[in-house]
Amino acid sequence: MALFRTCRTATVQLRGFSSSSSLRVGPESPNFIDVPRSLQPDLPSKRIIKGTLPVPREIFPARRTDKPTQAYISAATPRPKKGKSPNPNDINYEYIEQKKRMANMRRKNLREGLLELHARKQATDTAMKLRSEQKQLYREKILQQPDREDVRLTRTSIVQEMLPQHMPVLPDPDRETRLRKARSRTQRKLANKVAERRHDMHDLYVNARNFIVNEEQLAAEIEKVFPEGVNEAWRSDHQEGVNIWNLGFPQGISSLASDSRKTESARWDTIQSRIRRLAEEITGGKM
């Protein structure tokens, strides 16, 4: 019995795998190995918030300047109509009185809220305008301030005229000449365009005599090109006709070069076209 009592009261000391006696964690813990920490703590990561916040509505827009006025507040919070007062003995008397108190509180909160929000908006706009003006003045002061004495004395020797000048627009001595040339060039292009359009209109007027403008002319042209029956000229390519399908067999280069009559005819046609163009230029009209 004494032996068993001794075993029960014996103190057993457990020793871990680590050499440090203060560490009381197992090898499966991430703190089992002592990793030195940096002196500067790490910044916490920014929490990602899902969704987007709605854009706050403008309470006093520019198109509604009457909101902070007394007329708008009176129209938005009308007084209750005079009616029969509830009977105190009614079972719904407390409910009706509670509704009245809630309605009066809503009207009061709306009136005071509009006035306070308008005053806050005016104060915010005034402070924002004042900060903006101060920033602009500070910026202009920095831009216009002269150089420091050490900068002026240690600056390299440069002629004052060679220093960069604060000019909004660079000088352009040839501006008037370039504008005059550009204006004359534009007027010349417009005049050529007008003359070309007038020439095209005149050509259209001259060539309009051959246009088909009614059904009778269309029927006559169809009868001329597609006569009744079978056109014998269509059976052979060696005979020239008025139709597109019987203009004759196309000639080759050798036949065109050897045929003196064709050469003389082409030369005569070229001379006639040149004379016609010369007459058109002289008379100013289409021949």
Side-chain angles (χ1 to χ4, degrees), residues 9 28 50 71 73-74 76 79 100-101 123 137-138 141 147 159 178 185 203 211 220 224 248 252 255 258 267 279:
T9 58
E28 68 277 0
K50 295 183 179 180
I73 295 176
S74 301
R79 301 294 302 175
K100 284 184 178 180
R101 287 195 297 270
L137 292 176
Y138 182 69
K141 179 181 177 181
D147 296 336
V159 184
R178 289 190 297 101
R185 184 167 56 251
D203 293 346
F211 289 175
K224 176 183 177 182
S255 60
S258 60
R267 184 179 178 184

Side-chain angles (χ1 to χ4, degrees), residues 23 65 73 95 106 122 125 144 151 191 203 209 216 240 246 267 281 285:
L23 189 60
T65 58
I73 295 176
Y95 175 75
R106 286 194 295 269
Q122 287 182 338
D125 294 344
Q144 300 298 333
V151 176
D203 293 346
R209 68 183 69 178
E216 290 77 7
E240 297 184 1
N246 61 339
R267 184 179 178 184
E281 292 294 335

